[in-house]
């Protein structure tokens, strides 16, 4: 919406904005790997380069209607500002507003070390932000675009298990190829 307001329906301008968002996400990933995880500079560079060139991640750059780029930027931004839970909550809400998939953003923030009671209290904010977006969507009558949201919890657990088993098999076959 913002792109269309700023540039009209100019294809080159939309691609440029998507490319800049993708590059920004690569830089944010580098910062997350370095600052939040404490890994080496080389590890940050490798993570950023793999992210920037991997075909699965570059597809949204060419797909003009994709909101994934903004959601990824908000999620990575939430990781960077996580000690400031108000900002992290706002970024979680932005990520979730772009696509329902980003409902996992507060769950990812739970990976942050919990050291004291005050931190635990403030970690409620990202979950409250997602709840507020759910309530706003319901009040405005915005339906879920995801069929998974309408399936039972048992079906969702079976689906998640099948996905985990699939990727475990992929990893196992890759590891066997190395020996």
């Amino acid at each position: 919406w913002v792109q269309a307001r700023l540039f009209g329906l100019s294809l080159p301008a939309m691609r440029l904005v998507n490319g800049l968002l993708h590059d920004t996400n690569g830089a944010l990933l580098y910062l997350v790997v370095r600052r939040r995880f404490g890994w080496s500079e080389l590890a940050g560079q490798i993570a950023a380069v793999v992210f920037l060139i991997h075909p699965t991640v570059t597809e949204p750059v060419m797909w003009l209607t994709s909101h994934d780029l903004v959601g990824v930027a908000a999620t990575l931004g939430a990781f960077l500002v996580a000690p400031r839970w108000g900002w992290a909550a706002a970024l979680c809400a932005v990520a979730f507003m772009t696509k329902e998939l980003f409902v996992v953003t507060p769950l990812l923030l739970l990976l942050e070390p919990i050291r004291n009671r005050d931190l635990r209290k403030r970690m409620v904010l990202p979950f409250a932000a997602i709840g507020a977006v759910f309530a706003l969507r319901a009040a405005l009558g915005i339906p879920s675009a995801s069929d998974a949201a309408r399936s039972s919890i048992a079906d969702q657990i079976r689906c998640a298990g099948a996905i985990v088993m699939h990727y475990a098999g992929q990893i196992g076959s890759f590891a066997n190829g190395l020996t």
Side-chain angles (χ1 to χ4, degrees):
W1 181 81
V2 173
Q3 284 182 357
R5 291 280 188 201
L6 291 175
F7 307 114
L9 297 177
S10 169
L11 183 64
M14 288 182 178
R15 287 231 168 106
L16 176 66
V17 169
N18 282 0
L20 291 173
L21 274 171
H22 184 64
D23 292 344
T24 300
N25 288 340
L28 285 171
L29 179 64
Y30 170 80
L31 291 173
V32 167
V33 168
R34 291 282 291 132
R35 291 184 184 167
R36 301 305 295 164
F37 298 147
W39 292 1
S40 70
E41 185 171 341
L42 180 62
Q45 291 170 348
I46 290 171
V49 167
V50 169
F51 174 83
L52 289 170
I53 65 173
H54 195 280
T56 304
V57 183
T58 58
E59 183 179 335
V61 176
M62 299 308 286
W63 185 23
L64 299 180
T65 60
S66 174
H67 304 292
D68 293 355
L69 297 169
V70 175
V72 170
T75 298
L76 291 170
F79 265 102
L80 286 175
V81 300
R84 294 175 292 258
W85 293 103
W87 285 105
L91 288 167
C92 286
V94 167
F96 182 65
M97 284 189 285
T98 63
K99 197 169 185 179
E100 291 173 344
L101 166 74
F102 292 105
V103 73
V104 301
T105 301
L107 299 173
L108 292 172
L109 289 174
L110 283 177
L111 299 175
E112 282 291 310
I114 300 174
R115 295 187 188 122
N116 60 43
R117 218 172 263 242
D118 187 43
L119 180 60
R120 280 183 251 159
K121 287 178 188 172
R122 285 185 278 163
M123 283 185 66
V124 171
L125 288 175
F127 292 100
I130 295 294
V133 172
F134 267 120
L136 179 65
R137 289 175 56 140
L140 296 175
I142 300 171
S144 173
S146 172
D147 291 332
R150 293 183 287 277
S151 62
S152 72
I153 190 72
D155 287 341
Q156 291 180 22
I157 291 171
R158 274 194 291 275
C159 180
I163 291 168
V164 168
M165 294 306 292
H166 170 76
Y167 284 109
Q170 294 290 326
I171 291 168
S173 65
F174 176 74
N176 287 338
L178 295 177
T179 58

